[in-house]
Amino acid sequence: MTVAGPRVDLDQAEAAAEARAAAVEAEVVEKAKAEAYEAPFKPSPIGWFFRVALAAALVALVLVFPLDRPLSDVRLFSQAAIYAIIGLSLNVLLGYTGQISLGHQAFVGIGSFTSAYLVTVQQWPFAAAVAVAMAVGGLQALVLGGVALRIRGLYFALVTLSYGTVASDSLFGITRFTGGGSGQSAPLPSFAATPHRYYYFCLLVLAVVIWVDYRMMQTKGGRALLALRENPRVASTFGIDVKAYTLFAFVVAGVFAGLGGALLAHKNEVVQAQDYNFQLALIFVIMTVVGGLRSRSGVVIGSAFFALLSSGYLIEKAKVETLFRFLADNTFIPFLSKEVAALVLGPLLLLLTLTLYPGGIGQQIRPIQRWLAGHRFNLHDRGDKEVQISDVRA
Amino acid sequence: MLRGRLGRRRSSRLRPATNRLGPLAGLVGQPRRLLAVAGVVAVVGLFVRLELQQAVVIGLVGGAAYGLLALGLVLIYKSSGVFNFAQAEFGTVAVYALYVLKGPLGYPLALVGALLAAVLMGLVVERLIVRPLFDSPRVTLLVATAGVALMAIGLQFWIGEAKLRRIEPALSRPDRIAVLRQNVSDQQLLLVAALLALGVLLALFFSRTNLGLAILGASQEPVATELAGISVRRLSSFTWALAALLGGVAGVLFAPISGTFGPGELTRGLLIPAFTAAVLGGMTSLPGAFVGGTLVGVAQAGAISYKGLEALPGKGTVIVFLLLITVLTLRPQGLLGSRA
């Protein structure tokens, strides 16, 4: 293309182009300067020392602290690890797909009874029984989900609630399967025959579950789950099969719950039907929500906290029972026994979480997590994740 | 003026389409009514065939309690779109209040006090839980009401301890009349009468009063209702108080029939059947809640006394679960509900 313009114009154009190039260059230099100024924060050696020290203290609390504890305490620690698995199971459902299960005691309980029945009555090896418990958990999720996921949201919660009571009233009343009122015995596996060994085994399983959960969320399926939680309609226009992926998440949650149930059975060495009631299902939901949806560390901490609270361990160790006794003796406040404490404090924490701190524990510990990972400490650092319970959609 | 507007809108919505069916239109034009009648006839026929007449009577009485609770559930679902899992706890709280107050105040005044306690709980729940979460998704509110239910149960375990308490009925004669060779006590008659009376009163309230029309308006078009100068939030507290009152009535009339009560008993026994009743009725229909409660009650009583099912534990719960699943898969809008 030839434009025979006057020479003056060409000169002007050249000058303008030069000016523009200079401006771009200046911008690049400035950007580089700014980048140099805001170089990624690197902790000093002392900073690293404190970070490593805190991390080591946390690891020691989990791994070393239980070593010299009495057996009854170690059983409770195992329970905390198992509750964390159950919490992660609910997190898959509630956190990733926004569907709520109010009947999770059924999945956990059926896992418990399946494993106990196979090991005690059928003399199966431990590993095979746990595998079958997981499969059964996944299978019932598949069947129930196939029916219930035609209706999402509120009705799904209702169906799972109803299913939970069917399990506790009917299935757990079948004496041949559950051993009747005295329960079905479930011995510790031979490779972890002491409560201490079993505790470390539970920790190992929890680590595997966390890893599987983490890897799952990196896959196409995981991204699809996150997309369909944000907005199922938009997700379906992007070609995501909403029903199939929700069902997939439900099955994963069922498998995790079956695993948690099986571990719980052998932790107690006996499974009794009355332990799996409506209150337990609500405690499971509460520990997941209070822990913080979609925050693995938050859910693990929340679940462990509620396991220790509902078994009375925290109340006992914090010596608050004397305070409760004092209040009961001197005021009109009745005595709050450690068995009931979780039923009173749990819902209170849940309602506080829902109304004031929707991100739960996960959001609260986020600054510490970021600091441990080598960032500057910032109390208001919520990271890149904006966590809200309001993401749970009907 | 508002009443006129809302009334006009309703009537135009409900005006039947031009019919070409002549005299049959009354029945065919109302397939829902036909379906409900056919369902009831079929169930009663089946029961008589299986010699379960007495179960029909037991089920009708039990169904009245489900219906009362379901009315409250429907009311709250209509007004705020929430599944209220704490509905049965309104009843339990009322029963505890009745138990505490009947000594010093006497039974009739204690009944009033118990209902006031339930209403108070409804108002507190609305103010502290529902209102702060007004704009949040419905599932969040569902979790919150489930939390309220567990909290109420926890408080009952804390203050009332884990033991059964005796509560005598308001009217004590156990065999007032016999229907189909099944004795019906005064208290059971009172329960059924309360359901009928409250059902009629609610129907009149929603069709004849400004307040009732305003609640209906708020449930259908909250923004337009605000624009018409009605505070939707204030209506919300009124609805919760009303629903709590219904729950309280169900509690104080139902619990004394068995003679004893314990922590969380009504949530365990009544909540899921009541929800199933509401879903059966279409979740937004007050007459539907009534019909649904009756159906669930009769089906449950039938399953429990049917001889072929004796080996299965927890029959009552299983049949309710099956009913719920069946309705949700085959007819999710319920028997009397309209398709969304």
Side-chain angles (χ1 to χ4, degrees):
Chain A
M1 198 163 94
T2 54
V3 180
R7 204 181 159 70
V8 189
D9 276 7
L10 265 184
D11 272 350
Q12 271 178 350
E14 233 166 273
E18 248 168 67
R20 237 178 289 140
V24 167
E25 204 176 325
E27 204 175 297
V28 168
V29 168
E30 215 157 288
K31 209 172 170 187
K33 267 189 197 164
E35 262 172 22
Y37 181 65
E38 284 188 17
F41 172 73
K42 279 205 185 105
S44 65
I46 298 174
W48 273 123
F49 172 75
F50 280 117
R51 284 171 172 83
V52 171
L54 180 64
L58 287 176
V59 170
L61 180 69
V62 176
L63 290 183
V64 184
F65 173 70
L67 275 177
D68 60 340
R69 295 284 109 190
L71 294 186
S72 56
D73 285 9
V74 175
R75 279 178 210 274
L76 296 182
F77 298 150
S78 305
Q79 184 169 340
I82 297 164
Y83 269 40
I85 295 173
I86 298 167
L88 286 170
S89 150
L90 259 178
N91 180 43
V92 171
L93 205 56
L94 191 54
Y96 298 155
T97 69
Q99 302 294 315
I100 179 176
S101 163
L102 289 175
H104 234 56
Q105 94 272 29
F107 294 95
V108 173
I110 288 175
S112 292
F113 280 117
T114 306
S115 182
Y117 175 79
L118 289 177
V119 168
T120 308
V121 181
Q122 305 289 343
Q123 304 287 329
W124 281 35
F126 175 79
V130 171
V132 171
M134 289 166 70
V136 168
L139 194 68
Q140 52 177 324
L142 190 67
V143 172
L144 185 65
V147 178
L149 286 172
R150 295 163 63 102
I151 315 103
R152 294 167 56 91
L154 302 177
Y155 291 95
F156 182 78
L158 190 53
V159 169
T160 52
L161 175 72
S162 186
Y163 178 68
T165 55
V166 165
S168 11
D169 283 8
S170 184
L171 295 182
F172 297 166
I174 301 171
T175 317
R176 204 192 308 165
F177 178 52
T178 64
S182 57
Q184 187 78 271
S185 72
L188 286 171
S190 53
F191 61 85
T194 66
H196 280 96
R197 285 181 162 212
Y198 194 71
Y199 168 68
Y200 290 110
F201 173 65
C202 288
L203 276 187
L204 185 69
V205 176
L206 172 62
V208 171
V209 167
I210 291 175
W211 182 77
V212 168
D213 186 68
Y214 169 74
R215 288 303 305 165
M216 185 182 79
M217 293 321 284
Q218 308 297 315
T219 62
K220 183 184 164 205
R223 290 193 301 276
L225 286 182
L226 287 180
L228 72 88
R229 179 189 49 77
E230 288 296 331
N231 191 329
R233 291 204 185 101
V234 171
S236 75
T237 62
F238 280 105
I240 294 171
D241 188 338
V242 172
K243 224 173 97 178
Y245 278 112
T246 314
L247 193 57
F248 162 70
F250 196 31
V251 170
V252 170
V255 170
F256 284 179
L259 174 64
L263 292 179
L264 200 57
H266 294 276
K267 191 271 300 177
N268 291 333
E269 299 187 55
V270 65
V271 200
Q272 288 174 309
Q274 71 262 26
D275 294 340
Y276 299 91
N277 51 19
F278 170 63
Q279 278 101 305
L280 187 68
L282 282 186
I283 290 283
F284 286 159
V285 171
I286 288 176
M287 71 191 189
T288 312
V289 173
V290 171
L293 297 179
R294 288 191 297 293
S295 160
R296 272 176 219 99
S297 42
V299 169
V300 169
I301 292 174
S303 309
F305 172 77
F306 271 95
L308 296 178
L309 181 70
S310 59
S311 59
Y313 178 81
L314 283 181
I315 302 280
E316 213 169 89
K317 290 295 154 187
K319 307 272 185 244
V320 281
E321 234 171 1
T322 37
L323 173 72
F324 291 155
R325 177 62 67 193
F326 175 80
L327 284 176
D329 288 344
N330 293 293
T331 61
F332 62 93
I333 303 172
F335 179 63
L336 179 61
S337 67
K338 60 184 184 183
E339 289 81 21
V340 179
L343 286 186
V344 178
L345 295 178
L348 197 64
L349 284 174
L350 172 80
L351 297 174
L352 283 178
T353 304
L354 287 178
T355 48
L356 299 177
Y357 303 101
I361 296 174
Q363 196 179 359
Q364 302 303 316
I365 61 169
R366 188 91 185 127
I368 302 172
Q369 271 183 317
R370 300 267 300 164
W371 177 74
L372 272 179
H375 296 272
R376 217 183 245 113
F377 185 77
N378 175 6
L379 191 57
H380 304 289
D381 187 355
R382 297 286 177 242
D384 42 356
K385 283 193 273 185
E386 191 60 33
V387 186
Q388 275 204 335
I389 178 88
S390 62
D391 293 342
V392 180
R393 274 162 215 282
Chain B
M1 190 167 96
L2 170 83
R3 185 186 159 185
R5 271 189 203 164
L6 285 171
R8 224 177 10 253
R9 197 163 132 253
R10 269 172 58 72
S11 65
S12 71
R13 217 170 62 88
L14 294 176
R15 189 174 299 147
T18 40
N19 63 70
R20 285 163 285 123
L21 293 164
L24 274 178
L27 266 185
V28 181
Q30 294 282 355
R32 302 186 303 190
R33 201 171 292 169
L34 191 68
L35 200 71
V37 170
V40 171
V41 168
V43 167
V44 172
L46 183 71
F47 275 61
V48 173
R49 181 92 183 73
L50 296 173
E51 297 182 347
L52 294 171
Q53 296 95 324
Q54 300 190 346
V56 175
V57 180
I58 300 172
L60 283 177
V61 174
Y66 302 154
L68 264 178
L69 267 195
L71 280 182
L73 291 171
V74 167
L75 199 60
I76 285 181
Y77 184 73
K78 266 167 98 86
S79 77
S80 26
V82 183
F83 275 21
N84 178 22
F85 279 81
Q87 183 69 20
E89 281 313 302
F90 293 145
T92 321
V93 164
V95 178
Y96 269 92
L98 176 67
Y99 179 80
V100 172
L101 294 176
K102 74 176 167 27
L105 292 181
Y107 212 97
L109 266 183
L111 271 180
V112 176
L115 295 182
L116 279 181
V119 169
L120 190 68
M121 180 184 167
L123 287 174
V124 168
V125 168
E126 199 275 341
R127 186 66 195 86
L128 293 186
I129 311 296
V130 179
R131 206 176 289 187
L133 296 173
F134 200 77
D135 296 321
S136 54
R138 304 296 92 175
V139 171
T140 307
L141 265 165
L142 185 152
V143 175
T145 58
V148 169
L150 188 62
M151 182 144 196
I153 295 174
L155 287 175
Q156 287 153 20
F157 270 115
W158 181 15
I159 298 165
E161 294 169 28
K163 60 181 176 192
L164 287 177
R165 286 159 197 282
R166 290 202 56 76
I167 184 95
E168 60 270 23
L171 306 172
S172 52
R173 190 172 160 180
D175 51 350
R176 174 67 61 183
I177 52 168
V179 185
L180 296 172
R181 284 176 285 142
Q182 170 70 39
N183 281 338
V184 181
S185 73
D186 274 351
Q187 184 77 12
Q188 290 171 321
L189 285 178
L190 191 62
L191 180 64
V192 175
L195 173 67
L196 291 174
L198 284 171
V200 170
L201 279 179
L202 273 183
L204 288 177
F205 172 72
F206 278 114
S207 58
R208 294 271 183 274
T209 63
N210 281 341
L211 195 54
L213 287 172
I215 290 177
L216 283 183
S219 74
Q220 287 169 6
E221 293 285 345
V223 179
T225 312
E226 282 275 345
L227 287 177
I230 297 166
S231 164
V232 172
R233 282 165 192 246
R234 202 168 295 162
L235 285 182
S236 160
S237 17
F238 178 80
T239 327
W240 277 81
L242 195 59
L245 179 71
L246 288 170
V249 171
V252 294
L253 293 184
F254 179 76
I257 290 180
S258 67
T260 54
F261 69 99
E265 180 159 307
L266 293 179
T267 295
R268 221 171 13 255
L270 292 186
L271 184 67
I272 296 170
F275 259 121
T276 308
V279 170
L280 253 173
M283 210 61 221
T284 51
S285 155
L286 291 172
F290 181 83
V291 174
T294 310
L295 281 179
V296 172
V298 171
Q300 207 178 26
I304 288 173
S305 42
Y306 179 55
K307 300 221 167 32
L309 285 173
E310 259 160 7
L312 180 72
K315 298 174 280 276
T317 328
V318 175
I319 189 85
V320 171
F321 176 68
L322 292 179
L323 261 177
L324 180 67
I325 288 281
T326 314
V327 170
L328 285 181
T329 41
L330 296 184
R331 205 178 151 81
Q333 74 274 31
L335 294 178
L336 298 185
S338 48
R339 196 179 282 272

